[in-house]
Amino acid sequence: MNNPHTNKSLYVCFTVYINMTKKIIAAFSASFLLLSAFAVKAQTPPAALIVGDRMPAFSLTAQDGKKFNSADYTGKDILVIYFYPKDESMVCTKEACAFRDSFNEFAKAGAKVIGINSGTVASHKEFSDHYKLPFILLSDPGNKVYHLFGVKDKMFISGRETFIIDRRGKVAFTYESMMQGKKHADDALTFVKQHGG
């Protein structure tokens, strides 16, 4: 014969179990949603700067060991800032040499050329000395400035993109191409000559 007290106890235990299970599932679901949202946010690439955007302020070390502060040049010079993947690689070398060969023309137009990647100061110094590069190369550890500008990786390689910043501190021109290194310098020079700051 069934004991009503035993049945009632079993019912209470079962109800408590069901309620606890519901709470655990709800907590797990909430945690999963939070983690998913965080992961999506963490993986969302920064928006690329476009023409008209203000250049983000930054400070990096040049190949001569001196600090470069963008604020010191904003409003005074046209800045031709090019991001490139790696010192001494084939396309990057062609690109750097194209900027070198046009350096005097950039200078006459009032533009400063600046190359940036995550390479070390020592690597930039060797690269600069090797090819007699007359412009600034900045070391960007961890690609912090690279991400500020919204440059995108290409197949696990740092992207190649050029920005021209006018004398108001705003983006006036952008060009992106992984394989056309020389064209970065050519197109940037054409723009600077035609539009100035």
Side-chain angles (χ1 to χ4, degrees):
M1 184 174 178
N2 289 335
N3 187 327
H5 294 293
T6 302
N7 289 342
K8 188 175 181 182
S9 296
L10 286 173
Y11 175 77
V12 170
C13 289
F14 182 72
T15 303
V16 169
Y17 172 78
I18 292 295
N19 288 336
M20 285 181 62
T21 303
K22 285 180 180 177
K23 287 179 182 178
I24 290 169
I25 290 170
F28 178 79
S29 298
S31 299
F32 179 76
L33 288 172
L34 280 172
L35 287 171
S36 297
F38 178 78
V40 168
K41 187 176 180 182
Q43 291 172 3
T44 302
L49 292 185
I50 59 172
V51 171
D53 286 347
R54 182 160 294 281
M55 176 183 70
F58 64 90
S59 177
L60 294 172
T61 305
Q63 74 266 41
D64 60 4
K66 294 179 181 176
K67 277 288 179 189
F68 175 94
N69 292 303
S70 63
D72 295 338
Y73 298 89
T74 304
K76 300 173 187 173
D77 299 290
I78 300 165
L79 301 180
V80 178
I81 299 174
Y82 79 94
F83 292 87
Y84 66 105
K86 194 175 187 332
D87 294 339
E88 299 287 354
S89 64
M90 185 177 69
V91 179
C92 295
T93 298
K94 286 182 180 178
E95 182 180 25
C97 290
F99 276 112
R100 176 199 65 195
D101 296 343
S102 303
F103 180 77
N104 289 336
E105 292 181 79
F106 278 111
K108 283 178 188 174
K112 287 193 176 300
V113 176
I114 300 157
I116 302 177
N117 78 5
S118 62
T120 64
V121 171
S123 173
H124 286 352
K125 177 86 166 63
E126 288 176 12
F127 187 44
S128 179
D129 290 348
H130 186 183
Y131 294 99
K132 296 180 171 50
L133 306 179
F135 50 86
I136 297 166
L137 293 180
L138 298 177
S139 174
D140 181 21
N143 283 329
K144 290 178 183 175
V145 175
Y146 173 93
H147 291 304
L148 280 178
F149 276 72
V151 181
K152 303 294 188 294
D153 290 347
K154 304 291 181 184
M155 298 293 290
F156 307 106
I157 299 171
S158 296
R160 186 187 312 280
E161 191 161 355
T162 296
F163 298 83
I164 294 178
I165 311 299
D166 65 22
R167 288 192 174 94
R168 297 170 301 159
K170 292 189 174 181
V171 177
F173 168 92
T174 67
Y175 178 71
E176 184 271 325
S177 172
M178 285 302 286
M179 300 310 296
Q180 300 296 322
K182 185 177 182 299
K183 200 166 180 340
H184 281 260
D186 293 345
D187 285 11
L189 182 59
T190 297
F191 183 89
V192 168
K193 284 181 171 179
Q194 289 178 350
H195 302 276

